[in-house]
């Protein structure tokens, strides 16, 4: 959960990610002869078992995404802003609703019922792609199977970032 905006009246977004989201964020496609699913791609990546034959570059954005993927996936250490995606932006047209990140990179989230799911990675200053970006105040986390948030990942306090 990301808590953001005015400390006296904050807003929140709940993010739900799974192993199946990871492949899309990389901008790659799998070679099903060697890597049967997005979940298998994630497991191989997690255990340093990916081989060149397992995937192909999907489009021209893959290299740009890979340059910042590690940074945006570590959102509690690197993101300091969140905002609504600017559909009227002149240069990037995405099917995404929120962006969270910083002046170097951001991750996009698409609404899926109650939650937002990660659906894109951008190697750009998120202020150029959002309407009214706001300061992230707190980032909380939990396991998908748990009902309550039980980990404080980040607290923003008086202009200083305090990763927990």
């Amino acid at each position: 959960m990301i808590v953001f905006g005015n400390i006296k009246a904050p807003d929140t977004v709940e993010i739900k990610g799974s192993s199946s989201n990871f492949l899309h964020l990389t901008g790659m496609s799998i070679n099903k002869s060697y890597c049967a699913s997005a979940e298998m791609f994630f497991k191989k990546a997690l255990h340093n078992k990916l081989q060149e034959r397992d995937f192909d570059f999907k489009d021209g954005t893959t290299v740009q995404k890979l340059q910042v993927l590690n940074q945006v996936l570590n959102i509690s250490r690197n993101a300091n802003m969140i905002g609504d995606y600017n559909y009227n932006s002149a240069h990037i047209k995405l099917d995404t609703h929120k962006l969270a990140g910083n002046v170097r990179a951001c991750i996009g989230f698409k609404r899926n019922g109650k939650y937002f799911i990660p659906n894109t990675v951008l190697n750009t200053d998120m202020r150029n792609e959002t309407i009214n970006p706001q300061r992230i105040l707190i980032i909380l986390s939990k396991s998908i199977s748990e009902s309550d948030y039980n980990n404080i990942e980040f607290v923003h306090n008086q202009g200083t970032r305090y990763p927990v």
Side-chain angles (χ1 to χ4, degrees), residues 78-133:
N78 296 310
N80 56 16
M81 295 177 276
I82 188 167
D84 293 327
Y85 174 65
N86 184 358
Y87 293 98
N88 297 320
S89 178
H91 55 287
I92 299 176
K93 302 294 182 203
L94 300 171
D95 183 21
T96 200
H97 299 111
K98 295 271 187 201
L99 294 176
N102 56 42
V103 298
R104 293 176 305 280
C106 53
I107 185 167
F109 302 98
K110 184 176 181 177
R111 183 177 283 284
N112 185 5
K114 173 183 170 182
Y115 300 100
F116 286 83
I117 57 170
N119 75 332
T120 193
V121 171
L122 300 174
N123 186 348
T124 188
D125 183 338
M126 71 161 282
R127 296 173 299 179
N128 297 332
E129 306 302 331
T130 55
I131 300 167
N132 191 27

Coordinates of all heavy atoms in Angstrom, one line a residue, residues 78-133:
N78 N 13.3 3.5 -3.8 CA 13.6 4.4 -4.9 C 12.5 5.4 -5.2 O 12.7 6.4 -5.9 CB 14.0 3.7 -6.1 CG 15.3 2.9 -5.9 OD1 16.3 3.5 -5.4 ND2 15.4 1.7 -6.1
A79 N 11.2 5.0 -4.9 CA 10.1 5.9 -5.3 C 9.9 7.0 -4.3 O 9.9 6.7 -3.1 CB 8.9 5.1 -5.5
N80 N 9.7 8.2 -4.7 CA 9.3 9.3 -3.8 C 8.1 10.0 -4.3 O 7.6 11.0 -3.6 CB 10.5 10.2 -3.6 CG 11.0 10.8 -4.8 OD1 10.4 10.8 -5.9 ND2 12.2 11.3 -4.8
M81 N 7.5 9.7 -5.4 CA 6.4 10.4 -6.0 C 5.4 9.3 -6.5 O 5.8 8.3 -7.0 CB 6.7 11.3 -7.1 CG 7.6 12.5 -6.7 SD 8.0 13.4 -8.2 CE 9.5 12.5 -8.8
I82 N 4.1 9.7 -6.6 CA 3.1 8.9 -7.2 C 2.1 9.9 -7.9 O 1.9 11.0 -7.3 CB 2.4 8.0 -6.3 CG1 1.4 7.0 -7.0 CG2 1.7 8.7 -5.2 CD1 1.0 5.8 -6.2
G83 N 1.6 9.6 -9.0 CA 0.6 10.4 -9.7 C -0.2 9.7 -10.7 O 0.1 8.6 -11.1
D84 N -1.3 10.4 -11.1 CA -2.1 9.8 -12.2 C -1.4 10.0 -13.5 O -0.9 11.0 -13.8 CB -3.5 10.6 -12.2 CG -4.3 10.3 -11.0 OD1 -4.2 9.2 -10.4 OD2 -5.1 11.3 -10.6
Y85 N -1.5 8.9 -14.3 CA -0.9 9.0 -15.6 C -1.6 10.0 -16.5 O -2.8 10.1 -16.5 CB -0.9 7.6 -16.3 CG -0.4 7.6 -17.7 CD1 0.9 7.9 -18.0 CD2 -1.3 7.4 -18.8 CE1 1.4 7.9 -19.3 CE2 -0.8 7.4 -20.1 CZ 0.5 7.7 -20.3 OH 1.0 7.7 -21.6
N86 N -0.8 10.8 -17.2 CA -1.3 11.8 -18.1 C -1.6 11.3 -19.5 O -0.7 11.2 -20.3 CB -0.4 13.0 -18.1 CG -0.9 14.2 -19.0 OD1 -2.0 14.1 -19.5 ND2 -0.1 15.2 -19.0
Y87 N -2.8 10.9 -19.7 CA -3.2 10.3 -21.0 C -3.0 11.3 -22.2 O -2.8 10.9 -23.3 CB -4.7 9.9 -21.0 CG -4.9 8.7 -20.1 CD1 -5.4 8.9 -18.8 CD2 -4.6 7.4 -20.5 CE1 -5.7 7.8 -18.0 CE2 -4.9 6.3 -19.7 CZ -5.4 6.5 -18.4 OH -5.6 5.5 -17.6
N88 N -2.9 12.6 -21.9 CA -2.8 13.6 -22.9 C -1.3 13.9 -23.1 O -1.0 14.8 -23.9 CB -3.5 14.9 -22.5 CG -5.0 14.6 -22.4 OD1 -5.5 13.9 -23.2 ND2 -5.6 15.2 -21.4
S89 N -0.4 13.2 -22.5 CA 1.0 13.4 -22.7 C 1.4 13.2 -24.2 O 0.8 12.4 -24.9 CB 1.8 12.3 -21.8 OG 3.2 12.5 -22.0
A90 N 2.3 14.0 -24.6 CA 2.6 14.1 -26.0 C 3.4 12.9 -26.6 O 3.3 12.7 -27.8 CB 3.3 15.4 -26.3
H91 N 4.1 12.2 -25.8 CA 5.0 11.3 -26.4 C 4.9 9.8 -25.9 O 5.4 8.9 -26.6 CB 6.5 11.7 -26.1 CG 6.8 12.0 -24.7 ND1 6.4 13.0 -24.0 CD2 7.6 11.2 -23.9 CE1 6.9 13.0 -22.8 NE2 7.6 11.9 -22.7
I92 N 4.2 9.5 -24.8 CA 4.0 8.1 -24.5 C 2.5 7.8 -24.3 O 1.9 8.5 -23.5 CB 4.8 7.8 -23.1 CG1 6.3 8.0 -23.3 CG2 4.5 6.3 -22.7 CD1 7.1 7.8 -22.0
K93 N 2.0 6.8 -25.0 CA 0.6 6.4 -24.9 C 0.5 5.0 -24.2 O 1.0 4.0 -24.8 CB -0.1 6.4 -26.3 CG 0.0 7.7 -27.0 CD -0.8 8.8 -26.3 CE -0.8 10.0 -27.1 NZ -1.0 11.2 -26.3
L94 N 0.0 5.0 -23.0 CA 0.0 3.7 -22.3 C -1.4 3.4 -21.8 O -2.2 4.4 -21.5 CB 0.9 3.8 -21.1 CG 2.4 4.1 -21.3 CD1 3.1 4.4 -20.0 CD2 3.0 2.9 -22.0
D95 N -1.7 2.2 -21.5 CA -2.9 1.8 -20.9 C -2.6 1.5 -19.4 O -2.4 0.4 -18.9 CB -3.5 0.5 -21.5 CG -4.8 0.0 -20.9 OD1 -5.5 0.9 -20.3 OD2 -5.1 -1.2 -21.0
T96 N -2.3 2.6 -18.7 CA -2.0 2.5 -17.3 C -2.7 3.7 -16.5 O -3.1 4.7 -17.2 CB -0.4 2.6 -17.1 OG1 -0.1 2.1 -15.8 CG2 0.2 4.0 -17.3
H97 N -2.8 3.6 -15.2 CA -3.5 4.6 -14.5 C -2.7 5.4 -13.5 O -2.9 6.6 -13.4 CB -4.7 3.9 -13.7 CG -5.6 3.2 -14.6 ND1 -5.8 1.9 -14.7 CD2 -6.5 3.7 -15.5 CE1 -6.7 1.6 -15.6 NE2 -7.1 2.7 -16.1
K98 N -1.7 4.8 -12.8 CA -0.9 5.5 -11.8 C 0.6 5.2 -12.2 O 0.9 4.1 -12.7 CB -1.1 4.9 -10.4 CG -2.5 5.2 -9.9 CD -2.5 6.5 -9.1 CE -3.8 6.7 -8.4 NZ -4.1 8.1 -8.1
L99 N 1.4 6.1 -11.8 CA 2.9 5.9 -11.9 C 3.5 6.2 -10.6 O 3.1 7.2 -9.9 CB 3.5 6.8 -13.0 CG 3.1 6.6 -14.5 CD1 3.7 7.7 -15.3 CD2 3.5 5.2 -14.9
A100 N 4.5 5.4 -10.2 CA 5.2 5.7 -9.0 C 6.7 5.6 -9.3 O 7.1 4.7 -10.0 CB 4.9 4.7 -7.9
G101 N 7.5 6.6 -8.8 CA 8.9 6.5 -9.1 C 9.6 7.8 -8.7 O 9.3 8.4 -7.7
N102 N 10.5 8.2 -9.5 CA 11.3 9.4 -9.2 C 11.7 10.1 -10.6 O 11.1 9.9 -11.6 CB 12.6 9.0 -8.4 CG 13.4 7.9 -9.1 OD1 13.6 8.0 -10.3 ND2 13.9 6.9 -8.4
V103 N 12.7 10.9 -10.5 CA 13.1 11.7 -11.7 C 13.9 10.8 -12.8 O 14.1 11.3 -13.9 CB 13.9 12.9 -11.4 CG1 13.1 13.9 -10.5 CG2 15.2 12.5 -10.7
R104 N 14.2 9.6 -12.4 CA 14.9 8.7 -13.4 C 14.1 7.6 -14.0 O 14.4 7.1 -15.1 CB 16.2 8.1 -12.7 CG 17.2 9.2 -12.3 CD 18.4 8.6 -11.6 NE 18.0 7.9 -10.4 CZ 17.7 8.4 -9.2 NH1 17.8 9.7 -9.1 NH2 17.4 7.7 -8.2
A105 N 13.1 7.1 -13.2 CA 12.4 5.9 -13.6 C 11.1 5.8 -12.9 O 10.9 6.4 -11.8 CB 13.2 4.7 -13.4
C106 N 10.1 5.1 -13.4 CA 8.9 4.8 -12.7 C 8.2 3.5 -13.2 O 8.6 3.0 -14.2 CB 7.9 6.0 -12.9 SG 7.6 6.5 -14.6
I107 N 7.3 3.1 -12.4 CA 6.6 1.9 -12.7 C 5.1 2.3 -12.7 O 4.6 3.1 -12.0 CB 6.8 0.8 -11.6 CG1 6.1 -0.6 -12.0 CG2 6.4 1.2 -10.2 CD1 6.6 -1.7 -11.1
G108 N 4.4 1.7 -13.7 CA 3.0 2.0 -13.9 C 2.1 0.9 -13.4 O 2.5 -0.3 -13.4
F109 N 0.9 1.3 -13.0 CA -0.1 0.4 -12.4 C -1.4 0.6 -13.1 O -1.8 1.8 -13.3 CB -0.2 0.7 -10.9 CG 1.1 0.5 -10.1 CD1 1.8 1.6 -9.8 CD2 1.5 -0.7 -9.8 CE1 3.0 1.5 -9.1 CE2 2.7 -0.8 -9.1 CZ 3.5 0.3 -8.7
K110 N -2.1 -0.5 -13.3 CA -3.4 -0.4 -14.0 C -4.4 -0.9 -12.9 O -4.2 -1.9 -12.2 CB -3.4 -1.3 -15.2 CG -4.7 -1.3 -15.9 CD -4.6 -2.2 -17.2 CE -5.9 -2.1 -18.0 NZ -5.8 -2.9 -19.2
R111 N -5.5 -0.2 -12.8 CA -6.6 -0.6 -11.9 C -7.2 -2.0 -12.3 O -7.5 -2.2 -13.5 CB -7.7 0.4 -11.8 CG -8.7 0.0 -10.7 CD -9.8 1.0 -10.6 NE -9.4 2.2 -9.8 CZ -9.3 2.2 -8.5 NH1 -9.4 1.1 -7.8 NH2 -8.9 3.3 -7.9
N112 N -7.3 -2.9 -11.3 CA -7.9 -4.2 -11.5 C -8.8 -4.4 -10.3 O -8.3 -5.0 -9.3 CB -6.8 -5.2 -11.6 CG -7.3 -6.6 -12.0 OD1 -8.5 -6.8 -12.2 ND2 -6.5 -7.6 -12.0
G113 N -10.0 -4.0 -10.3 CA -10.9 -4.1 -9.2 C -10.4 -3.1 -8.1 O -10.2 -2.0 -8.3
K114 N -10.3 -3.7 -6.9 CA -9.8 -3.0 -5.7 C -8.4 -2.6 -5.8 O -7.9 -1.6 -5.1 CB -10.1 -3.8 -4.5 CG -9.6 -3.3 -3.2 CD -9.9 -4.3 -2.0 CE -9.2 -3.9 -0.8 NZ -9.3 -4.8 0.3
Y115 N -7.6 -3.3 -6.5 CA -6.1 -3.2 -6.5 C -5.6 -2.5 -7.8 O -6.3 -2.5 -8.8 CB -5.5 -4.5 -6.4 CG -5.8 -5.3 -5.1 CD1 -6.8 -6.3 -5.1 CD2 -5.2 -4.9 -3.9 CE1 -7.1 -6.9 -3.9 CE2 -5.6 -5.6 -2.7 CZ -6.5 -6.6 -2.7 OH -6.9 -7.2 -1.6
F116 N -4.3 -2.1 -7.7 CA -3.6 -1.7 -8.9 C -2.5 -2.8 -9.1 O -1.9 -3.2 -8.2 CB -2.9 -0.4 -8.7 CG -3.9 0.8 -8.7 CD1 -4.6 1.1 -7.6 CD2 -4.0 1.5 -9.9 CE1 -5.5 2.2 -7.6 CE2 -4.9 2.6 -9.9 CZ -5.7 2.9 -8.8
I117 N -2.4 -3.2 -10.4 CA -1.3 -4.2 -10.7 C -0.3 -3.6 -11.6 O -0.6 -2.7 -12.4 CB -1.9 -5.4 -11.4 CG1 -2.7 -5.0 -12.7 CG2 -2.9 -6.2 -10.5 CD1 -3.1 -6.2 -13.5
P118 N 1.0 -3.9 -11.4 CA 2.1 -3.4 -12.2 C 1.9 -3.8 -13.6 O 1.7 -5.0 -13.9 CB 3.3 -3.9 -11.5 CG 2.9 -5.0 -10.7 CD 1.5 -4.9 -10.4
N119 N 2.1 -2.8 -14.5 CA 1.9 -3.2 -16.0 C 2.9 -2.5 -16.9 O 2.9 -2.8 -18.1 CB 0.5 -2.9 -16.4 CG 0.1 -1.5 -16.7 OD1 0.7 -0.6 -16.0 ND2 -0.8 -1.2 -17.5
T120 N 3.8 -1.6 -16.4 CA 4.8 -1.1 -17.3 C 5.9 -0.5 -16.5 O 5.8 -0.2 -15.3 CB 4.1 0.0 -18.2 OG1 5.1 0.3 -19.2 CG2 3.8 1.3 -17.4
V121 N 7.0 -0.3 -17.1 CA 8.2 0.3 -16.6 C 8.7 1.4 -17.6 O 8.7 1.1 -18.8 CB 9.3 -0.7 -16.4 CG1 10.6 -0.1 -16.0 CG2 8.9 -1.8 -15.3
L122 N 9.0 2.6 -17.0 CA 9.4 3.6 -17.9 C 10.8 4.2 -17.4 O 11.0 4.4 -16.3 CB 8.4 4.8 -17.9 CG 7.0 4.5 -18.4 CD1 6.1 5.7 -18.2 CD2 7.0 4.0 -19.8
N123 N 11.6 4.4 -18.4 CA 12.9 5.0 -18.1 C 12.8 6.5 -18.4 O 13.3 6.9 -19.4 CB 14.0 4.3 -19.0 CG 15.4 4.7 -18.7 OD1 15.6 5.7 -18.0 ND2 16.3 4.0 -19.3
T124 N 12.1 7.2 -17.5 CA 11.9 8.6 -17.7 C 11.6 9.3 -16.4 O 11.3 8.6 -15.4 CB 10.7 8.8 -18.7 OG1 10.6 10.2 -19.0 CG2 9.4 8.3 -18.1
D125 N 11.6 10.6 -16.4 CA 11.2 11.4 -15.3 C 9.7 11.3 -15.1 O 9.0 11.8 -16.0 CB 11.7 12.8 -15.5 CG 11.4 13.8 -14.3 OD1 10.5 13.5 -13.5 OD2 12.1 14.8 -14.2
M126 N 9.2 10.7 -14.0 CA 7.8 10.5 -13.9 C 7.0 11.8 -13.9 O 5.8 11.9 -14.2 CB 7.4 9.6 -12.8 CG 7.6 10.2 -11.4 SD 6.7 9.3 -10.2 CE 5.1 9.9 -10.4
R127 N 7.6 12.9 -13.5 CA 6.9 14.2 -13.5 C 6.4 14.6 -14.9 O 5.5 15.4 -15.0 CB 7.8 15.3 -12.9 CG 8.2 15.1 -11.4 CD 9.2 16.0 -10.9 NE 10.4 15.9 -11.7 CZ 11.5 16.7 -11.6 NH1 11.5 17.6 -10.6 NH2 12.6 16.5 -12.3
N128 N 7.1 14.1 -15.9 CA 6.7 14.5 -17.3 C 5.5 13.6 -17.8 O 5.0 13.9 -18.8 CB 7.9 14.2 -18.3 CG 9.1 15.2 -18.0 OD1 8.9 16.3 -17.4 ND2 10.2 14.7 -18.3
E129 N 5.2 12.6 -17.0 CA 4.1 11.7 -17.5 C 2.9 11.6 -16.6 O 2.0 10.9 -16.8 CB 4.7 10.2 -17.6 CG 5.9 10.1 -18.4 CD 5.7 10.6 -19.9 OE1 4.6 10.5 -20.4 OE2 6.7 11.1 -20.5
T130 N 2.9 12.5 -15.5 CA 1.8 12.4 -14.5 C 1.2 13.8 -14.4 O 1.7 14.8 -14.7 CB 2.3 12.0 -13.1 OG1 3.4 12.8 -12.7 CG2 2.7 10.6 -13.1
I131 N -0.1 13.7 -13.9 CA -0.8 14.9 -13.5 C -0.7 15.1 -12.0 O -1.0 14.1 -11.3 CB -2.3 14.8 -13.9 CG1 -2.4 14.6 -15.4 CG2 -3.1 16.0 -13.4 CD1 -3.8 14.1 -15.8
N132 N -0.2 16.2 -11.6 CA -0.1 16.5 -10.2 C 0.6 15.4 -9.3 O 0.0 14.8 -8.4 CB -1.5 16.8 -9.6 CG -1.4 17.3 -8.2 OD1 -0.5 17.9 -7.8 ND2 -2.5 17.1 -7.4
P133 N 1.9 15.1 -9.6 CA 2.6 14.1 -8.8 C 2.6 14.5 -7.4 O 2.8 15.7 -7.1 CB 4.0 14.0 -9.5 CG 4.1 15.2 -10.2 CD 2.8 15.7 -10.6

